Amino acid sequence: MREHSAPTTNESEPLDQVGVATEAFVAHRNLLFTVAYEMLGSATDAEDVLQETWLRWVKVEPGSVREVRAYLVRIVTRKALDRLRVLGRRRESYVGPWLPEPLLTAPDVAEDIELAQSVSMAMLLVLETLAPIERAVFVLREVFGLEYAEIAQAVDKSPAAVRQTAYRARAHVAARRPRATVSPTETRAVLQAFQRAVQTGDLQGLLDLLAPDVVALSDGGGVTHALPRPVVGAGKVARLLASGWYGRQVERVVEPVQVNGGPGLLVRVDGQIDGVLAVHVDNGRVAGLYHVRNPEKLSRVGQETTVSR
């Protein structure tokens, strides 16, 4: 598992300056990670952006920044935009469907409905369809509530241009965003029934739980077996799941977890983490399945990741 050490800095920096900078950075770290993650869909790249942000921040003169939170968000946004443009080119050559890097989140994240929806697999896939600047503006405005003037400084645009970009991004997302999920209690009940049906290969049980237009996606990154393209429709998805997930004769254990603010299953094969399945529930039925098996995207699913806004 990737270790997340404390930010490194230049030994020549005065210790008092480093201490002040560290205290301020740590106070906002969870927020900064969430901003970067929602912009990138990758926890690994978000951590790299935070490290770059720290290296920039530690050189700032203590006391010269009035709004520390806004200043740090501005740095993170600019660094994430730079990386997002590079990632966009990489994803064009990605083998098979691309899914965001899953996070195990604390149960209380689901209580903040807006935050939970913003980090959900379904929403992150919608954000992937935005241009980089649109994505940054949407995340900063709609999720974190920044003023247009603050966002303008972060993306190097005028407030008027940011307003127009925000309007376009909202309209784009509204046309594609997942429908509202059901209550946490009903969601848990659906997940429990779904888990039983998957583990027992109950075809009829799966058909009863899946929405007619359910979509299943899986991401193996060309490293491990995954669906080469989306599978759509209750019948096709139910048969896929009832067959034992690709028909492999292995010892499989399925554990309910909180994935990206919503219900999910952690899959272990022969005792090792084999994948994470995020489940989107709508109107009491499973409407979306997002199965991540790419080993490079599973480094953080052994522990909870804190997201905040």
Side-chain angles (χ1 to χ4, degrees), residues 218-230:
S218 65
D219 178 345
V223 180
T224 188
H225 183 74
L227 301 173
R229 60 189 64 84

Side-chain angles (χ1 to χ4, degrees), residues 116-140:
Q117 289 182 346
S118 72
V119 298
S120 70
M121 285 283 191
M123 177 57 82
L124 290 175
L125 285 175
V126 172
L127 295 182
E128 280 292 309
T129 64
L130 293 173
I133 290 291
E134 291 177 332
R135 185 167 185 170
V137 170
F138 181 87
V139 168
L140 295 179

Side-chain angles (χ1 to χ4, degrees), residues 148-168:
Y148 290 115
E150 293 179 282
I151 300 173
Q153 291 183 317
V155 300
D156 291 325
K157 301 287 183 182
S158 70
V162 168
R163 281 181 179 272
Q164 293 179 339
T165 301
Y167 177 82
R168 290 196 306 270

Side-chain angles (χ1 to χ4, degrees), residues 49-122:
V49 163
L50 259 62
Q51 181 67 18
E52 294 169 6
T53 299
W54 162 254
L55 293 175
R56 170 72 178 83
W57 168 245
V58 77
K59 297 182 183 300
V60 176
E61 186 69 25
S64 64
V65 177
R66 289 170 49 188
E67 298 287 344
V68 173
R69 177 181 183 271
Y71 190 90
L72 286 170
V73 168
R74 185 158 69 243
I75 299 175
V76 160
T77 300
R78 290 175 177 175
K79 297 293 185 182
L81 276 171
D82 291 341
R83 187 164 293 248
L84 187 59
R85 296 183 179 104
V86 174
L87 291 177
R89 292 192 291 271
R90 291 179 188 169
R91 288 170 191 170
E92 291 176 358
S93 58
Y94 195 80
V95 179
W98 179 92
L99 288 174
E101 186 176 347
L103 303 178
L104 295 194
T105 51
D108 60 357
V109 172
E111 298 175 5
D112 185 339
I113 296 176
E114 291 185 3
L115 177 61
Q117 289 182 346
S118 72
V119 298
S120 70
M121 285 283 191

